Amino acid sequence: MRDEKQIEGAKNPMEDFLRMDRIPHIWCPGCGIGTVVTSFAEAIQKSNINLDKLVVVSGIGCTGRVAGYIKLDSFHTTHGRAVPFATGLKIANPELTVVVFSGDGDICGIGGNHLIHAARRNIDITVICVNNFNYAMTGGQVAPTTPEGANVSTAPYGNYEYPFNLPYLVEASGACYVARWTALHLRRVTKSIQEAIKKRGFSFIEVITPCVTLYARRNRLGEGLDLLKYYYDNSDIQHGANTKDLDIKYQGKLIVGKFVDIEKPTFLDSMNKHFTKVLSDKYEPYVKEVKNG
Amino acid sequence: MKTDPKGVLTGSHYMDGDFAIAEGGLAAGCRFFGGYPITPSTETAERFSERIPKVGGIFIQMEDELGAMASLIGAVWGGRKAMTVTSGPGFSLIMENLGLAAMMEIPVVVANVQRGGPSTGLPTLPGQQDMMQARWGSHGDYEIIALSPDSPQECFDLTIEAFNLSEIYRVPTLLMTDECIGHMHEKVIIPPAEEIEVVERKWYKGPKDKYMPYKPDKDGIPFMVKAGDGYRFHTTGLTHDYRGYPEINAEWQDQNVRHLVDKINNNADKIIKIEEDKTDNAEVVVISYGITSRVAIKAVQEARRNGVKVGNIRLITVWPFPEKRIRELADKIKAFVVPEINYGQIVLEVERCAAGKAPVIKVSHLGGGVHNPDDILRLIMEAAK
Ligand code: SF4
């Protein structure tokens, strides 16, 4: 219940973090994306970091519009390229705390190659991936995350492809921090974002937020909050679960929690250490990676 | 201002065009290189990766050219000067985010060491077949600047020039060279740092809350800031207003497109550099660029020995196209002869500018080698008849 109240009161504490001159936003009533933005705003408020040094990068899609509403240095880039854009931004200016905020189709469909490589290199960025199970901005087409059996506009007889298990993918690629929640786990999402931003290294948070307008309507799964509540109620918190076991079945149980939280040198750590070792005083050190806050 | 001496390898060197591009970038103050290996441009990336740790910058080999170009735009917003190098197939992938760079008005340099195409084509052999793609290879209306060096020395010089132009006009600038120049070893003189002029980014210095990333300054070019300095700005690939906020309507679309195109075209006279030789009383004028200009000159000299009044033009700037000068000449001469290593690209621009006043004869080589000067000579002689 507490969570629901927070949704209703979502706008007021947010004014410092939103470009109020761009409100109303484009999201549908009952869409969970706004809820994730609320959690993000709370997380950065609590994180006690210098907001001037915090930047948000989005790609294209419903969640891709997040960058346009957040009152930070914010970049709305091309479809799939938020992660490599963020990679360039972070390593060019390591003082920055860089958060990629985008959708599943953007990050793991068209941008999937960049996702695994940023995780592999352990670029010190946080990726918040809102998984709404379909390509919503274009009208609800099948996505690499659409559960098998779900009906979407380009799988009108039901989806027969295997969807990605994102936590498994990013852990295998090298991520230091991996969590999954539903949008209604407001406090958990907030806490995960705080932890992920603090984490030195590549962090990934999947937030399950089924698209109410397209995915839910087409599959007759109820409206707005009911739908979000269904996922919330059917989720099972299993911290440290083996990411191999995190497949999402159509209307099945959802395993959520924090699965990975490890330490290892970042891309810039490794680069600095390596060049110092092999080039000694010939190495002209590049700006050191510094942690905001 | 003078460049940072750290990146300048002052002296007389014997190096190929690919290396000279890397040295030009470093001398211009480029401290971020994001790229993907592709023949025949790889040596530029290799050179950069070797030199950059000693100069204080970053080299990152990205997973593909889509990511490479995106990383450059991120790096520029991070406050760096950034570049990449590529060839045919990679150039096609670069185009996606070159469009974003045009839309976000990003100073950035992309070198294309051209090979024969289409598709995988001739990875190890020269072509000049991406000249039109250079202009409008990404979707939508925009303009870029493209330069074409004819020697390793010019690879060095024009890479610096490309950085300077990109900063002055906040525009992606392309260095369109080719496999021959890229792999040609010649003397390259790198001057002392005090002699290298570089253009600083057009940094905004006013009050933080007044900053608008797309509000044109008096000279038509908006100011830039870098991320992390407290401006809380927004930028997007969508059609946008001066604040960078999306505006999905015909009015702002009109403003955006006009601005992107006009800022280059209105300054074309300042940007364009061409080399002219004996064009003043010429009957026939040969127009070429890059490696082809080095072959064409042989034909021009031979034709002159045969008594033909031949003028020679070498395009150093290809885009924006020097249309004014071509129009002037079209009124006076018998014909243009345009050799290039493609089936006819820049020749179309010459034709457009000649507007029927002088015939335009193309001399195509379809890639994989350079022209035989005799083929050019024959057409010069015919044109002079
Ligand atoms: S289309 Fe779906 S994902 Fe997009 S805003 Fe509406 S509910 Fe949210």
Side-chain angles (χ1 to χ4, degrees), chain B residues 8-25:
Chain B
V8 186
L9 203 69
T10 303
S12 175
H13 308 269
Y14 183 67
M15 63 169 71
D16 72 6
D18 281 359
F19 272 28
I21 293 169
E23 290 303 334

Side-chain angles (χ1 to χ4, degrees), chain B residues 189-363:
Chain B
I189 294 174
I190 300 183
E194 317 82 84
E195 289 171 23
I196 298 177
E197 269 302 318
V198 293
V199 174
E200 205 188 348
R201 190 149 298 162
K202 194 173 171 185
W203 297 116
Y204 173 77
K205 294 195 182 78
K208 291 214 158 140
D209 56 334
K210 294 271 172 340
Y211 177 62
M212 287 197 253
Y214 297 101
K215 177 138 203 299
D217 182 26
K218 282 183 276 318
D219 65 357
I221 312 300
F223 287 99
M224 275 199 95
V225 296
K226 69 178 173 37
D229 286 353
Y231 293 95
R232 309 275 177 99
F233 68 96
H234 180 64
T235 177
T236 174
L238 288 167
T239 299
H240 48 262
D241 64 14
Y242 294 151
R243 296 170 300 178
Y245 289 9
E247 281 289 354
I248 310 303
N249 55 57
E251 288 73 28
W252 278 102
Q253 171 69 6
D254 186 89
Q255 191 282 340
N256 277 203
V257 171
R258 269 180 213 285
H259 170 67
L260 297 180
V261 171
D262 293 352
K263 72 176 177 178
I264 301 306
N265 289 346
N266 292 347
N267 289 302
D269 288 345
K270 280 190 242 163
I271 298 168
I272 291 168
K273 271 194 188 163
I274 58 176
E275 221 173 58
E276 287 195 43
D277 175 37
K278 298 201 168 92
T279 44
D280 283 350
N281 300 314
E283 302 168 282
V284 176
V285 170
V286 175
I287 301 177
S288 62
Y289 54 93
I291 184 63
T292 306
S293 60
R294 293 179 69 150
V295 181
I297 194 70
K298 299 259 178 287
V300 168
Q301 285 160 350
E302 190 54 35
R304 284 176 187 160
R305 273 195 282 275
N306 288 317
V308 184
K309 285 189 189 147
V310 197
N312 191 45
I313 289 184
R314 179 167 77 88
L315 306 177
I316 297 171
T317 313
V318 178
W319 304 119
F321 192 72
E323 46 190 44
K324 232 191 240 168
R325 184 61 185 141
I326 307 299
R327 283 207 183 100
E328 279 166 17
L329 287 167
D331 282 331
K332 302 184 203 153
I333 66 168
K334 274 195 192 158
F336 291 103
V337 173
V338 185
E340 48 185 341
I341 309 177
N342 56 49
Y343 213 172
Q345 296 196 10
I346 295 304
V347 68
L348 300 175
E349 277 296 278
V350 180
E351 248 166 40
R352 179 178 69 81
C353 300
K357 291 181 184 149
V360 179
I361 300 162
K362 77 171 173 183
V363 196

Side-chain angles (χ1 to χ4, degrees), chain A residues 19 21 52-53 67-68 71-76 78 81 84 88-89 92-93 113-114 117 121 283-284 286-287, chain B residues 53 56 58 61-64 70-71 73-74 77-78 80 96-97 104 227-228 230 232-237 243 245:
Chain A
R19 297 185 188 275
D21 46 356
D52 284 350
K53 301 285 179 199
K71 210 200 291 171
L72 298 169
D73 287 344
S74 56
F75 303 89
H76 182 222
T78 36
R81 316 301 164 221
L89 191 53
N93 191 347
N113 193 29
H114 310 302
H117 285 280
R121 296 186 181 103
Y283 179 42
E284 174 78 34
Y286 187 65
V287 214
Chain B
I58 280 270
Q61 187 170 308
M62 293 298 286
E63 48 278 6
D64 56 31
S71 76
I73 304 173
W77 281 120
R80 302 274 159 181
E96 180 197 62
N97 290 297
M104 285 186 170
R232 309 275 177 99
F233 68 96
H234 180 64
T235 177
T236 174
R243 296 170 300 178
Y245 289 9

Side-chain angles (χ1 to χ4, degrees), chain A residues 14-137:
Chain A
M14 298 279 290
E15 292 198 3
D16 283 351
F17 302 96
L18 292 186
R19 297 185 188 275
M20 296 310 287
D21 46 356
R22 289 215 57 220
I23 305 296
H25 56 65
I26 62 156
W27 298 310
C28 308
C31 177
I33 296 173
T35 316
V36 188
V37 173
T38 308
S39 296
F40 174 72
E42 266 196 55
I44 59 177
Q45 232 168 334
K46 287 183 179 159
S47 289
N48 202 16
I49 55 174
N50 179 358
L51 294 185
D52 284 350
K53 301 285 179 199
L54 176 65
V55 305
V56 171
V57 183
S58 294
I60 298 296
C62 288
T63 314
R65 290 303 185 95
V66 166
Y69 298 116
I70 293 189
K71 210 200 291 171
L72 298 169
D73 287 344
S74 56
F75 303 89
H76 182 222
T77 66
T78 36
H79 198 17
R81 316 301 164 221
V83 168
F85 186 103
T87 297
L89 191 53
K90 173 67 191 178
I91 65 179
N93 191 347
E95 290 177 9
L96 302 173
T97 299
V98 179
V99 176
V100 170
F101 210 134
S102 216
D104 51 299
D106 189 62
I107 286 176
C108 76
I110 188 167
N113 193 29
H114 310 302
L115 174 70
I116 59 175
H117 285 280
R120 172 182 66 77
R121 296 186 181 103
N122 200 23
I123 303 289
D124 183 18
I125 59 175
T126 295
V127 176
I128 301 171
C129 177
V130 173
N131 181 356
N132 62 9
F133 295 152
N134 67 168
Y135 281 96
M137 183 64 98

Side-chain angles (χ1 to χ4, degrees), chain A residues 74-249:
Chain A
S74 56
F75 303 89
H76 182 222
T77 66
T78 36
H79 198 17
R81 316 301 164 221
V83 168
F85 186 103
T87 297
L89 191 53
K90 173 67 191 178
I91 65 179
N93 191 347
E95 290 177 9
L96 302 173
T97 299
V98 179
V99 176
V100 170
F101 210 134
S102 216
D104 51 299
D106 189 62
I107 286 176
C108 76
I110 188 167
N113 193 29
H114 310 302
L115 174 70
I116 59 175
H117 285 280
R120 172 182 66 77
R121 296 186 181 103
N122 200 23
I123 303 289
D124 183 18
I125 59 175
T126 295
V127 176
I128 301 171
C129 177
V130 173
N131 181 356
N132 62 9
F133 295 152
N134 67 168
Y135 281 96
M137 183 64 98
T138 42
Q141 292 78 31
V142 71
T145 47
T146 306
E148 261 182 283
N151 194 300
V152 283
S153 76
T154 48
Y157 306 107
N159 177 35
Y160 46 82
E161 287 188 27
Y162 305 113
F164 262 135
N165 166 350
L166 291 177
Y168 185 37
L169 176 74
V170 290
E171 184 187 17
S173 306
C176 283
Y177 183 98
V178 183
R180 173 199 276 165
W181 301 106
T182 76
L184 274 197
H185 290 94
L186 277 140
R187 276 167 302 140
R188 309 262 188 189
V189 175
T190 302
K191 185 158 175 263
S192 266
I193 295 174
Q194 279 177 268
E195 290 177 355
I197 285 177
K198 261 221 165 67
K199 185 101 225 163
R200 281 180 69 82
F202 187 86
S203 322
F204 184 86
I205 304 167
E206 177 183 20
V207 187
I208 307 290
T209 313
C211 166
V212 291
T213 304
L214 304 158
Y215 179 84
R217 199 169 286 168
R218 205 170 168 109
N219 289 287
R220 299 198 177 82
L221 300 178
E223 311 253 323
L225 209 53
D226 292 345
L227 175 79
L228 290 176
K229 251 186 114 337
Y230 174 89
Y231 283 88
Y232 180 80
D233 292 341
N234 276 281
S235 58
D236 188 7
I237 301 179
Q238 291 182 25
H239 291 303
N242 188 335
T243 53
K244 222 176 163 172
D245 304 327
L246 302 182
D247 280 340
I248 296 177
K249 298 270 182 278

